[in-house]
Amino acid sequence: MIVIGGGLAGLAAGVALAESGWRVRLFELRPFLGGRAASYVLPDGEHVDNCQHVTLGCCTNLEDFYRRVGAGDKIKFFDRLLFLDPQGRRGEMQAGALPAPFHMMGSFAKFAPLTLRDKFSIAWAMLNILQTNGRTWDVDQFGGISMLEWLRRRGQTKGAIDRFWRVVLVSALDEELDKTDARYGIDVFWKAFLSNRTGYRMGVPIVPLAQLYDGCKSAIEQKGGEVNLRAAARLLRIENGAITSVEFDAGREERADAFLLAVPHTAVRDLIPDEILRTESAFRNLAMLKSSPITGVHFWFDRQVMSEPFVTLLDTTTQWIFNKTALYAPSRGDGGNFTKGQYLQLVVSASYDLLPKSRQEIIDLCLKEVRQVFPAAREANLTKATVIKETAATFSPEPGVDRWRPKQETSVNGLFLAGDWTDTGWPATMEGAVRSGYLAAEALLRKEGRPHRFVQPELRADGLVSLWASK
């Protein structure tokens, strides 16, 4: 079979199908694997991720995928999430001794950037999520409602919205609250923070993202398959309702028994014949999916300016700062040596306001915020900086978006789809991408009469939550 696209969705499907006995031939446009969750090398030899990607304890399929390709030891998990505001107030999220859903109560009570009124309003909304097992009465209404509207219906204060809900959800879902389906926002808190003590734990790669996929190529090739880079697919050939081949550059055609299209939703329409686009709603509806941007800013200082592995900033354009020097230390074996300076990566999700700004304007803005939060940065010299704008980083999880997301099995015989934009039950995350690949593999095997399950169950509720979540 042929897989078109070497991002997480295509890799997950390819590895799963290779393990199931298919000879997989994977074709990727770029010179590296990983898609939007990849890294590349600058002219001076420095490795940079196109954007910082992380996982959470509740991402069971992503964990399974890393295990399958031997990358599990390249992810380090952290139990403590640190938040800082420009006034120097700190807040933490960390599980204490109490069972779920009260495991965060201690750190939440001491969360300095929030007022007592903010905390009471948040607690009220959390109770509503708990009482309904993450499915409040208004999230499934036709067309959906925005997360911002959901919060307003529950009397959330401005501080709670700006310094808690927005901080967590914009980073998790890459979209502003007024453009996010409340169902996904509630899912984040139900799955990651309420139903299980470990769902919130954040896993961060301790190697450049490209190194996470070394095992993918081997897993496919060891089963008799092949991985082709710099291979640009141009058009799918479809005759009498069935796909027959895919055309590449120079008119080269490749045939197979089955085809899996695992490219961004914005690229699907360029590969599908016009007649199919006009007649098949699954492909026509892709035009309704919108995109959200992410901007990554990379700073290299001549000395250490930050001691934490990562922090979340409040009331700033910059949302997250990752201490790449410290994070990469275990794989380098140097113990986080700062004598040669420090490399930080900053992340701004839903970065609409940054798109029209120049590279230097973004650097100046973010550098000012870093120096405001970290006093040591005020004396440090910025030796190098770069900005990476992903203008269409993810699909936008706007209210009602699920009606436009197609299933993995299509009406075209032999053609399957994978991508976080397909119908996975998850938003645009690495977990969603892997789930889509597994679902596509399941659909293909089911079609040929060899059903097999790859999708892993959700993280089970534990503690006191398990008592009523099962009712």
Side-chain angles (χ1 to χ4, degrees):
M1 74 158 305
I2 286 178
V3 175
I4 303 169
L8 272 172
L11 291 172
V15 169
L17 289 169
E19 291 179 358
S20 300
W22 280 83
R23 180 176 178 268
V24 174
R25 291 187 291 155
L26 187 145
F27 296 86
E28 164 57 38
L29 169 66
R30 302 183 186 185
F32 49 81
L33 297 173
R36 290 164 293 163
S39 59
Y40 56 91
V41 183
L42 295 177
D44 62 1
E46 190 80 48
H47 288 261
V48 296
D49 296 336
N50 64 343
C51 185
Q52 180 67 57
H53 286 71
V54 301
T55 184
L56 295 174
C58 59
C59 296
T60 55
N61 287 279
L62 186 57
E63 179 184 8
D64 177 77
F65 172 71
Y66 286 146
R67 178 189 59 78
R68 288 178 186 270
V69 299
D73 61 348
K74 297 178 181 178
I75 307 293
K76 182 177 180 179
F77 278 87
F78 296 86
D79 296 322
R80 172 176 166 270
L81 310 180
L82 175 64
F83 299 76
L84 299 175
D85 72 7
Q87 292 74 42
R89 289 173 295 199
R90 298 162 63 96
E92 294 183 4
M93 286 188 183
Q94 186 171 22
L98 294 175
F102 305 115
H103 53 297
M104 293 283 191
M105 186 176 290
S107 60
F108 180 70
K110 295 183 288 186
F111 201 94
L114 295 173
T115 67
L116 186 60
R117 185 164 172 257
D118 295 336
K119 293 173 184 176
F120 273 123
S121 73
I122 293 168
W124 177 253
M126 291 292 190
L127 179 60
N128 189 210
I129 296 174
L130 277 168
Q131 290 172 328
T132 58
N133 291 341
R135 278 293 177 270
T136 63
W137 66 270
D138 46 357
V139 296
D140 289 324
Q141 65 187 52
F142 180 77
I145 62 167
S146 74
M147 190 65 198
L148 185 60
E149 174 61 23
W150 188 91
L151 293 170
R152 285 172 173 167
R153 290 181 181 184
R154 284 148 183 86
Q156 297 303 286
T157 64
K158 186 178 187 303
I161 292 174
D162 293 343
R163 293 188 148 211
F164 181 77
W165 298 102
R166 182 181 183 277
V167 170
V168 174
L169 293 178
V170 171
S171 297
L173 303 175
D174 188 31
E175 190 54 279
E176 292 292 348
L177 299 182
D178 62 336
K179 299 177 182 177
T180 295
D181 194 311
R183 184 171 76 83
Y184 289 125
I186 293 168
D187 271 353
V188 169
F189 285 94
W190 172 248
K191 295 176 180 178
F193 294 98
L194 290 173
S195 66
N196 188 288
R197 282 179 51 84
T198 62
Y200 80 99
R201 297 179 68 238
M202 194 165 86
V204 186
I206 58 173
V207 297
L209 287 175
Q211 294 182 26
L212 290 177
Y213 313 118
D214 293 342
C216 299
K217 188 172 184 293
S218 299
I220 292 174
E221 291 178 341
Q222 288 173 2
K223 297 293 184 178
E226 60 185 59
V227 174
N228 303 276
L229 303 177
R230 295 187 175 89
R234 298 304 180 191
L235 185 67
L236 302 183
R237 299 291 183 189
I238 299 175
E239 300 175 3
N240 300 320
I243 182 169
T244 59
S245 65
V246 57
E247 181 180 322
F248 291 88
D249 283 340
R252 178 170 63 96
E253 285 195 21
E254 295 287 348
R255 294 180 175 272
D257 295 327
F259 296 78
L260 192 146
L261 191 56
V263 298
H265 73 273
T266 52
V268 172
R269 293 173 62 86
D270 296 331
L271 296 170
I272 301 294
D274 291 340
E275 181 182 354
I276 302 298
L277 290 177
R278 289 193 303 268
T279 59
E280 300 295 334
S281 61
F283 297 110
R284 190 170 62 247
N285 288 342
L286 292 180
M288 304 301 294
L289 295 180
K290 299 175 183 177
S291 298
S292 304
I294 295 179
T295 298
V297 182
H298 303 256
F299 285 159
W300 287 265
F301 291 96
D302 65 350
R303 68 196 74 175
Q304 179 179 1
V305 302
M306 170 184 173
S307 58
E308 298 286 344
F310 55 84
V311 298
T312 306
L313 301 190
L314 308 178
D315 302 335
T316 55
T317 297
T318 304
Q319 295 158 354
W320 287 81
I321 304 179
F322 291 87
N323 181 348
K324 305 292 273 194
T325 300
L327 289 168
Y328 288 169
S331 62
R332 293 196 314 262
D334 62 5
N337 189 339
F338 295 97
T339 58
K340 295 182 179 180
Q342 188 173 45
Y343 166 32
L344 307 182
Q345 181 171 355
L346 288 60
V347 180
V348 184
S349 299
S351 55
Y352 297 100
D353 292 343
L354 296 185
L355 294 183
K357 294 185 182 295
S358 69
R359 172 183 174 276
Q360 193 58 51
E361 286 176 316
I362 295 172
I363 290 172
D364 291 343
L365 171 63
C366 293
L367 181 58
K368 180 180 178 180
E369 293 179 345
V370 170
R371 286 176 168 161
Q372 185 176 17
V373 174
F374 300 121
R378 300 166 195 168
E379 305 299 323
N381 294 316
L382 184 66
T383 60
K384 184 172 60 176
T386 190
V387 175
I388 300 175
K389 294 181 184 179
E390 293 278 351
T391 58
T394 67
F395 78 89
S396 173
E398 63 181 356
V401 70
D402 281 355
R403 63 189 137 162
W404 313 124
R405 299 171 72 183
K407 298 290 185 182
Q408 289 74 31
E409 183 176 353
T410 74
S411 58
V412 177
N413 190 31
L415 177 61
F416 299 83
L417 302 176
D420 58 10
W421 46 270
T422 62
D423 185 5
T424 66
W426 277 65
T429 58
M430 292 198 296
E431 169 73 5
V434 171
R435 285 175 68 92
S436 78
Y438 283 178
L439 286 167
E442 288 181 4
L444 195 158
L445 291 173
R446 188 168 56 247
K447 188 71 177 290
E448 69 162 5
R450 292 195 298 127
H452 184 84
R453 183 171 179 82
F454 293 105
V455 175
Q456 302 299 303
E458 302 275 8
L459 194 65
R460 295 181 63 179
D462 65 12
L464 298 178
V465 182
S466 63
L467 299 179
W468 68 72
S470 58
K471 294 181 181 179

